[in-house]
Amino acid sequence: MARQELHDQLAFLDDDDHAPLFYRLLQKIPVLRDNERVTRIVLKIPDPHSRKGMLIYGGSVLGVAVLVGLIMAVIQLAKEPEYEKPVEDPQTVLLGVSGQREEPEKPWGRSIHLERGDQYFLSGDYSRAINEYSLAIGTDAALAYHNLGVIYTELGDFKKAIESFQRAIAARPSLPESYSALGLALHEVSRNVEALQYHLQALRLDPDNSEFHNNVGNAYLYLGDYANARRHYTRAIEINPSNTQAMANQNSLLLITGDYDAAIQGFREILSADPDNYEVLMNLGMAYRKNGNQLDALEFFRRAQQVQRTPNVFISIGDTFRDLNRPEDAINAYVSASNITSSTYPLKKLAEYFFVLMRYPEMEEMLEQIFATEPWFPRGEELTSYAQFLQGQESLALSRLKRLLRRNPENLHALRGYTSLQLIQADLREARHTLESLLKYHPNEPISNALRGEYLRKLRAFDLAEEHLRQQDNDIARYYLGKLLLERNRKEEGRAVMEQVSRSTANPIGPKAHYALMLENLGSYDIGQAVEHFEGALAKGVSTAKREYVPRFLISDRYTFRLTYAFSPFTSATERYLEYARPFLLETDRMQSIQESALSSYEQSLYRVAYRQFLRATQHADAARLNNKGVERSLSGDLVRALEYFQQAAAQERGNPIIQYNIALTYQKMGSDRTAEKMYHEIKAAAPQLYEVDINLAVMDARRGDDEAVVFAMQGLENSIVNAYNEMRERSLEDYDPKISDPRLALLAAIAQFLYQDDQIATRDERFQELPEQFPEFYEGLLMREVFTGETFAIPPRLQVNPRFIMLSGDRALLREEYTEAMAAFQRLYNQEANFLSSTKIGIAFSRMQQHKRGNRYFSEAAAIQPSIAALNNLGNSFADVGDYENLQKAYESALEEDQGNFIVAMNYAYANQQFRRYNFAREVFEVASKINPSNPMPYYNLAKIHLMYGRHFMAREELFRGLNRYPNMPTINYLMGLVELIDGNLLDSLYYLKVSVENGIDATDLGDIVLTYQIH
């Protein structure tokens, strides 16, 4: 019979008829009267006075006498337990009419003992008041017993209070206040069904009493009969519109039934007239808390605390701080509750919360204090067992629960805990034994049938398990159903079920669902959702979910590692800048000035001086001619011939910084960073205002992943350019101009600004946007703006035959994935001249089209033209794409022989080895790369992946710490560190690193090389 059906059967108590005989007899047995199962049985027995009863008993009282004899025997044997009003988990606070002292109605005056009792009562001297009221029993037993009951209620001695009110009723059955007070005392000891009877009797005696209607409404509310509760609250307010207690309880009913907004509005209206009403403040705080507004809830709980410093208000404050994920504040609130009560309930809240926080030593400390005053505390034993199990002490955990079962084989905590842990341990024989006991002694507990479904899943009887779990209508069963569906790879169904469970706030299984969903989201690279579920799990307590799901880490065998091709449009902006950066032409103005100076010396008969000047002019002319030929070759893509011309020009005019710069730039384009870097530093010392050197050095820092160096250098460069330009204008006595009117300096300042400012800053490309306005025909500026910002421009007809702009057209088409157009542009470039760069471009196009073998032919051709590091790197990448490990090894190692310190080649070589699952060799190459450039975090990240895959968690953590030391906010490193901590069971640390990765914009596309799976126990 459902609970509501029982309430319907008890509805007869709300009229003028009396309860059946057997029901009234049952109420005299303290240990049975509030047992719903016994109440149902008794209500089914026909009343002897009824027509059916007369037929059954045949008019005889023999059957009745036998039954009454049995009941009286039970009364003699049963001992009513001692009752103490507990400090409870705060729920809705109902406002009832408390027992009040009664005045005598006798005309001859008041007993002296009652007078003295009242005086002592009002002064708080309860012991003397009890003595005086006891002496008054002989003259006015009803009032004396009633007032004794009031004192015992104040003292919390509800057993004596109940006895006193019962004697008051026996002495004067017409006193409704005693019935009401007795009902309130019975509520305090959870004898709610019996309490309802006495509240109704008080109402029968005084049917228009607003306060009694309020108490009846409370009694119905305690029994879950909301319709009758609402009826009596409404009647109480109709009788007395100023009955704030009934109004508050009516709003409490709205709170209980989930109409939080209406409850909040109603409580606020009451507070406007009675701002210090403790119960209303508490209920309003609970309404806000249930409505998800924790800060407002906290405000009203604190106001309630100022009115009354009760344990429950501190517990409510602690629970709210838990919702806000402020553990230390929550703990302090629970400690405050424990300091003002002798009840162990606040200590139990602390023990539970320390278990949630995985602070097991502090949990054990709380439990020791509880056991000192409450030796039989099965939940404490269960918590200790879970803590031991989660810390790897499985045998100790199971032994503790076994001892608990030996003390009480029917105990729910022991049966539940032992069965759950044995199922996780896969000891199905032991689990079956305790599961049978659990189903026998606690068949109506949701956990019992849920664990039966879990047991069937462990037996691999999946269909039976699913059928059984779907029959249960509770979140615990739904959780185990979701677990089964996830294991059977029915991911969408499983996630939907787990989402439903995780949203429920009224069950302790929700955090486990959050934990499972967190693992699912990590596996699908939805890191933001994973963090949210992780926080939900840890806030409420992961418990044994930590052992139910075992995360596993793999390097993806379906992932194609990002190999860096030189001269690809898919590289970084700095790499593309280097591709399009042009060398300098040497002008003839200087040669003309030298010749004029030589003529002047000749006319002055300074023949030797004139000779040297004519010779220098000739050499400069030759150097300029050779240099300019090199520039022409470089712009056409023939870097090999360009380098030859630049070197010949340098031989003609040694020490010329422009020629030296062109040589260094060509080496850098061909991948020889070490040689180029050395030359750049020499040029910088000789020509500090050749600012292109600073940008090219920043490109090298970017290649190494040293972003801090790039930012520092470029910020300084922009300031240097602006200062130098303004000094130049001052020397020429021109007015100050905030914009740089020199196109070369304006472009260099724009590049510097873009490189040092964060991509979130709106003014990052401000100088680039000013270039077209200042210099409409300055196409070099437009080209570089496109390289850095991606903003295209119309290429004029006269430049459409220029090799650089043909190359730009092909790159644009590649980026749009219009491969036919891209191939046409690169083929045109190749037809003009087959050289290193044109061959490379066609190879890249074929590579993007997944035609790796055709691309490999062009990469091989480029390497044959000039076996530079860039060409060999591209060739190695191409062999990796076609699956030719032997040749890729030769290509990469040839490149590294030329420059053992080339970071990009080393990283590509390591990535290629990972692609071929040669993880140990890849680890060796990553270690080499980390020594080449200790400031770049990527070698550490990849080393950690390999260590983690082989179970070397400590070594993985050490590598990641090296990366985090320099880049503490790098998303991918924080993410991987989060996985390491998760696999090691350090859940709080794991959540911290995962949150950092999300806060810094983790991109799921950067995580395709790693896979997180999990095994369900």
Side-chain angles (χ1 to χ4, degrees):
M1 184 186 299
R3 178 181 290 266
Q4 186 58 46
E5 293 174 359
L6 176 62
H7 297 154
D8 293 340
Q9 284 207 14
L10 292 178
F12 66 86
L13 292 175
D14 201 5
D15 56 29
D16 294 332
D17 296 332
H18 295 288
L21 171 64
F22 297 139
Y23 176 77
R24 294 202 304 273
L25 289 172
L26 176 67
Q27 301 309 304
K28 298 182 181 296
I29 308 175
V31 296
L32 297 178
R33 58 191 160 197
D34 207 25
N35 187 305
E36 288 188 9
R37 184 182 297 178
V38 176
T39 303
R40 292 190 189 107
I41 294 171
V42 170
L43 288 173
K44 289 181 179 179
I45 301 174
D47 189 272
H49 298 101
S50 68
R51 190 173 190 181
K52 186 176 181 181
M54 293 297 292
L55 290 172
I56 293 174
Y57 303 118
S60 168
V61 296
L62 178 61
V64 177
V66 172
L67 184 59
V68 170
L70 290 172
I71 292 174
M72 296 307 295
V74 173
I75 293 174
Q76 295 298 321
L77 292 173
K79 292 183 180 179
E80 186 171 4
E82 295 289 335
Y83 291 102
E84 176 187 355
K85 182 179 179 180
V87 178
E88 298 177 343
D89 194 7
Q91 298 295 330
T92 305
V93 181
L94 297 179
L95 281 69
V97 182
S98 59
Q100 298 176 352
R101 293 177 299 105
E102 291 299 315
E103 300 295 330
E105 298 174 358
K106 297 180 179 179
W108 55 82
R110 187 171 174 78
S111 162
I112 187 66
H113 294 296
L114 284 175
E115 292 280 358
R116 289 175 181 171
D118 290 348
Q119 293 172 4
Y120 288 132
F121 178 82
L122 292 173
S123 65
D125 191 346
Y126 293 150
S127 60
R128 289 187 177 183
I130 290 171
N131 289 334
E132 293 296 334
Y133 286 141
S134 299
L135 292 173
I137 291 173
T139 57
D140 196 337
L143 293 182
Y145 278 125
H146 180 94
N147 291 349
L148 281 170
V150 172
I151 293 178
Y152 287 131
T153 300
E154 289 287 327
L155 293 173
D157 191 344
F158 299 110
K159 179 182 179 182
K160 289 184 179 180
I162 290 168
E163 183 181 345
S164 298
F165 289 132
Q166 287 173 335
R167 290 182 177 181
I169 291 169
R172 189 187 301 179
S174 62
L175 188 63
E177 288 78 7
S178 294
Y179 289 98
S180 180
L182 177 55
L184 293 172
L186 290 168
H187 283 310
E188 296 289 351
V189 294
S190 300
R191 288 162 58 180
N192 297 321
V193 174
E194 189 177 357
L196 173 62
Q197 177 183 352
Y198 286 102
H199 283 308
L200 288 170
Q201 183 60 31
L203 193 60
R204 291 188 194 101
L205 294 171
D206 190 357
D208 292 327
N209 188 307
S210 175
E211 295 174 344
F212 291 167
H213 274 288
N214 175 65
N215 288 350
V216 172
N218 287 349
Y220 276 122
L221 191 60
Y222 282 127
L223 293 171
D225 189 343
Y226 301 145
N228 276 322
R230 185 178 294 106
R231 179 165 61 86
H232 281 281
Y233 290 144
T234 303
R235 180 61 182 147
I237 296 169
E238 288 174 354
I239 295 170
N240 180 10
S242 62
N243 189 337
T244 58
Q245 295 169 328
M247 287 187 283
N249 292 338
Q250 192 174 48
N251 288 305
S252 297
L253 179 58
L254 294 172
L255 174 59
I256 290 170
T257 54
D259 193 350
Y260 304 131
D261 292 332
I264 289 170
Q265 182 180 353
F267 286 133
R268 278 190 168 278
E269 290 175 359
I270 297 171
L271 283 180
S272 63
D274 186 6
D276 292 332
N277 190 310
Y278 167 80
E279 289 83 1
V280 173
L281 288 168
M282 286 290 290
N283 285 343
L284 183 53
M286 291 173 194
Y288 274 120
R289 182 170 173 238
K290 289 178 179 294
N291 210 25
N293 193 337
Q294 312 303 337
L295 294 178
D296 282 343
L298 199 58
E299 175 192 345
F300 286 99
F301 286 141
R302 283 173 167 162
R303 284 179 57 182
Q305 174 198 342
Q306 293 171 358
V307 177
Q308 289 187 36
R309 289 175 59 83
T310 66
N312 281 354
V313 72
F314 282 108
I315 288 171
S316 292
I317 290 172
D319 290 344
T320 309
F321 278 129
R322 282 185 64 172
D323 295 339
L324 292 169
N325 200 20
R326 292 165 59 178
E328 294 307 319
D329 290 329
I331 291 167
N332 290 336
Y334 293 145
V335 170
S336 297
S338 69
N339 289 338
I340 59 175
T341 179
S342 59
S343 168
T344 58
Y345 186 75
L347 298 176
K348 293 175 181 177
K349 292 287 286 188
L350 280 166
E352 293 276 0
Y353 194 36
F354 283 132
F355 176 74
V356 166
L357 297 174
M358 293 175 285
R359 290 160 61 170
Y360 301 129
E362 291 164 277
M363 179 200 77
E364 291 172 3
E365 182 182 342
M366 292 299 106
L367 290 175
E368 285 177 7
Q369 294 181 44
I370 296 168
F371 289 140
T373 57
E374 192 177 334
W376 176 248
F377 179 41
R379 175 57 178 166
E381 300 286 354
E382 184 183 20
L383 284 177
T384 304
S385 300
Y386 288 152
Q388 290 173 333
F389 187 81
L390 293 172
Q391 294 175 92
Q393 302 172 357
E394 291 88 350
S395 59
L396 286 176
L398 294 170
S399 298
R400 179 179 291 272
L401 290 170
K402 267 192 170 181
R403 287 197 302 271
L404 197 61
L405 281 172
R406 282 196 292 269
R407 291 178 64 185
N408 184 356
E410 301 179 17
N411 183 265
L412 173 63
H413 298 285
L415 290 168
R416 175 180 63 190
Y418 193 78
T419 305
S420 299
L421 297 188
Q422 290 292 8
L423 285 172
I424 296 173
Q425 290 280 84
D427 189 341
L428 299 186
R429 183 177 178 182
E430 281 288 318
R432 178 181 179 181
H433 175 71
T434 49
L435 178 60
E436 289 173 351
S437 299
L438 187 62
L439 289 165
K440 175 182 177 182
Y441 297 121
H442 307 280
N444 296 322
E445 285 289 337
I447 188 66
S448 302
N449 283 292
L451 287 178
R452 181 172 183 270
E454 176 72 350
Y455 173 74
L456 292 170
R457 182 188 72 83
K458 298 289 284 188
L459 285 176
R460 320 306 288 172
F462 298 115
D463 293 339
L464 287 175
E466 182 175 351
E467 180 183 359
H468 176 76
L469 291 169
R470 287 192 184 278
Q471 291 172 357
Q472 316 303 315
D473 186 21
N474 60 76
D475 284 321
I476 300 177
R478 277 189 280 272
Y479 164 74
Y480 285 109
L481 174 62
K483 189 175 174 183
L484 181 150
L485 295 171
L486 290 176
E487 184 184 18
R488 300 301 292 162
N489 207 31
R490 291 158 62 181
K491 298 289 188 180
E492 291 188 9
E493 292 179 78
R495 279 195 289 263
V497 173
M498 287 295 192
E499 287 283 0
Q500 180 184 356
V501 177
S502 70
R503 285 192 294 269
S504 175
T505 58
N507 69 85
I509 207 74
K512 289 188 175 186
H514 277 298
Y515 191 78
L517 288 167
M518 177 270 294
L519 293 172
E520 275 292 308
N521 286 124
L522 287 179
S524 60
Y525 306 108
D526 190 346
I527 318 304
Q529 278 293 109
V531 167
E532 287 185 20
H533 283 299
F534 209 168
E535 288 178 325
L538 292 179
K540 300 293 184 181
V542 173
S543 186
T544 55
K546 186 177 174 182
R547 295 286 299 272
E548 292 179 43
Y549 304 89
V550 181
R552 300 186 182 280
F553 176 85
L554 298 170
I555 295 177
S556 174
D557 58 357
R558 295 189 296 271
Y559 178 77
T560 301
F561 289 92
R562 295 178 289 273
L563 303 177
T564 303
Y565 280 93
F567 307 109
S568 168
F570 299 95
T571 55
S572 64
T574 52
E575 290 295 325
R576 294 201 69 200
Y577 158 80
L578 182 64
E579 176 184 345
Y580 285 98
R582 57 177 295 168
F584 286 112
L585 290 167
L586 275 181
E587 303 295 338
T588 57
D589 294 345
R590 184 165 175 261
M591 181 183 70
Q592 291 174 356
S593 65
I594 295 174
Q595 287 177 339
E596 290 173 1
S597 186
L599 287 171
S600 176
S601 298
Y602 184 81
E603 290 172 354
Q604 297 176 32
S605 302
L606 299 174
Y607 301 119
R608 290 190 178 185
V609 175
Y611 172 76
R612 286 196 299 271
Q613 289 174 334
F614 278 124
L615 182 61
R616 193 158 66 247
T618 303
Q619 290 174 339
H620 180 75
D622 291 340
R625 178 176 52 81
L626 292 167
N627 177 82
N628 294 346
K629 281 188 176 181
V631 172
E632 186 269 330
R633 288 287 82 208
S634 177
L635 295 179
S636 69
D638 188 354
L639 300 180
V640 179
R641 294 292 302 280
L643 183 60
E644 293 175 0
Y645 281 121
F646 291 142
Q647 288 172 336
Q648 292 173 22
Q652 292 291 325
E653 188 174 357
R654 298 185 183 279
N656 187 305
I658 296 297
I659 299 173
Q660 294 299 314
Y661 171 82
N662 290 344
I663 294 173
L665 176 63
T666 307
Y667 273 125
Q668 188 177 5
K669 288 190 173 193
M670 296 171 69
S672 299
D673 284 1
R674 179 176 295 182
T675 303
E677 186 174 18
K678 182 179 178 182
M679 293 184 69
Y680 282 141
H681 287 299
E682 294 173 355
I683 297 165
K684 192 173 181 180
Q689 290 195 338
L690 193 59
Y691 300 121
E692 286 81 358
V693 170
D694 297 274
I695 293 177
N696 294 353
L697 287 171
V699 171
M700 290 184 185
D701 289 329
R703 279 182 171 179
R704 290 190 286 259
D706 195 346
D707 295 334
E708 291 179 6
V710 173
V711 171
F712 180 77
M714 292 298 97
Q715 191 168 15
L717 177 61
E718 185 188 24
N719 293 333
S720 297
I721 293 171
V722 172
N723 292 336
Y725 175 72
N726 288 327
E727 287 176 8
M728 179 180 66
R729 292 186 65 83
E730 288 174 7
R731 285 197 298 269
S732 61
L733 303 178
E734 295 183 28
D735 294 333
Y736 174 78
D737 183 3
K739 294 184 179 180
I740 301 173
S741 58
D742 180 279
R744 168 179 166 264
L745 293 180
L747 174 58
L748 294 175
I751 294 172
Q753 181 189 55
F754 189 89
L755 289 178
Y756 83 78
Q757 289 193 358
D758 189 82
D759 58 3
Q760 302 299 320
I761 299 176
T763 59
R764 188 184 191 193
D765 61 349
E766 183 179 18
R767 291 188 182 276
F768 271 125
Q769 299 305 331
E770 293 173 353
L771 287 177
E773 299 174 8
Q774 290 180 271
F775 318 106
E777 299 298 317
F778 183 44
Y779 288 100
E780 189 71 18
L782 294 174
L783 171 60
M784 288 302 168
R785 186 186 67 174
E786 179 172 341
V787 164
F788 283 99
T789 69
E791 186 175 346
T792 60
F793 65 96
I795 301 173
R798 63 186 175 82
L799 292 178
Q800 290 177 3
V801 295
N802 185 297
R804 290 172 82 216
F805 289 92
I806 295 173
M807 191 163 59
L808 178 64
S809 299
D811 284 348
R812 287 177 177 177
L814 270 187
L815 291 169
R816 296 194 304 267
E817 297 185 354
E818 296 176 358
Y819 300 123
T820 303
E821 184 181 338
M823 187 60 72
F826 294 143
Q827 194 68 50
R828 182 182 171 196
L829 187 69
Y830 183 80
N831 292 338
Q832 283 186 5
E833 183 176 335
N835 56 41
F836 162 73
L837 194 54
S838 62
S839 299
T840 298
K841 284 294 184 181
I842 292 180
I844 290 171
F846 277 125
S847 175
R848 298 299 298 187
M849 295 165 67
Q850 303 299 313
Q851 298 182 28
H852 297 300
K853 290 186 178 180
R854 297 181 68 180
N856 183 260
R857 180 168 69 85
Y858 286 94
F859 285 128
S860 299
E861 182 180 290
I865 294 170
Q866 171 60 45
S868 64
I869 293 172
L872 291 169
N873 170 76
N874 287 352
L875 184 60
N877 294 350
S878 177
F879 281 126
D881 287 334
V882 298
D884 188 343
Y885 182 78
E886 183 178 350
N887 281 314
L888 78 83
Q889 190 174 25
K890 291 178 182 178
Y892 286 132
E893 291 188 356
S894 297
L896 289 172
E897 283 175 8
E898 288 198 27
D899 184 1
Q900 295 181 357
N902 193 296
F903 179 74
I904 289 180
V905 175
M907 290 297 289
N908 282 341
Y909 193 15
Y911 282 137
N913 276 282
Q914 278 197 103
Q915 189 76 42
F916 283 85
R917 303 185 193 177
R918 298 174 181 263
Y919 297 117
N920 285 324
F921 188 68
R923 176 178 57 81
E924 294 178 10
V925 182
F926 280 129
E927 287 173 351
V928 170
S930 69
K931 292 173 183 175
I932 293 172
N933 185 10
S935 65
N936 191 297
M938 292 312 296
Y940 306 124
Y941 170 77
N942 286 283
L943 283 167
K945 287 192 308 186
I946 295 171
H947 287 311
L948 189 56
M949 190 183 73
Y950 283 105
R952 300 189 288 260
H953 300 173
F954 174 77
M955 297 177 74
R957 190 178 286 106
E958 288 296 307
E959 296 294 348
L960 291 171
F961 275 133
R962 291 189 179 97
L964 287 171
N965 282 339
R966 191 165 182 87
Y967 296 97
N969 296 321
M970 184 172 176
T972 49
I973 290 188
N974 277 284
Y975 175 75
L976 191 58
M977 181 66 92
L979 297 191
V980 173
E981 300 295 357
L982 175 65
I983 293 169
D984 271 359
N986 305 320
L987 303 187
L988 293 174
D989 290 337
S990 174
L991 176 60
Y992 168 78
Y993 288 113
L994 291 174
K995 285 180 71 174
V996 172
S997 73
V998 171
E999 289 165 2
N1000 287 278
I1002 187 73
D1003 187 346
T1005 59
D1006 294 332
L1007 305 174
D1009 55 336
I1010 58 180
V1011 178
L1012 185 79
T1013 62
Y1014 60 91
Q1015 178 183 352
I1016 297 179
H1017 274 313

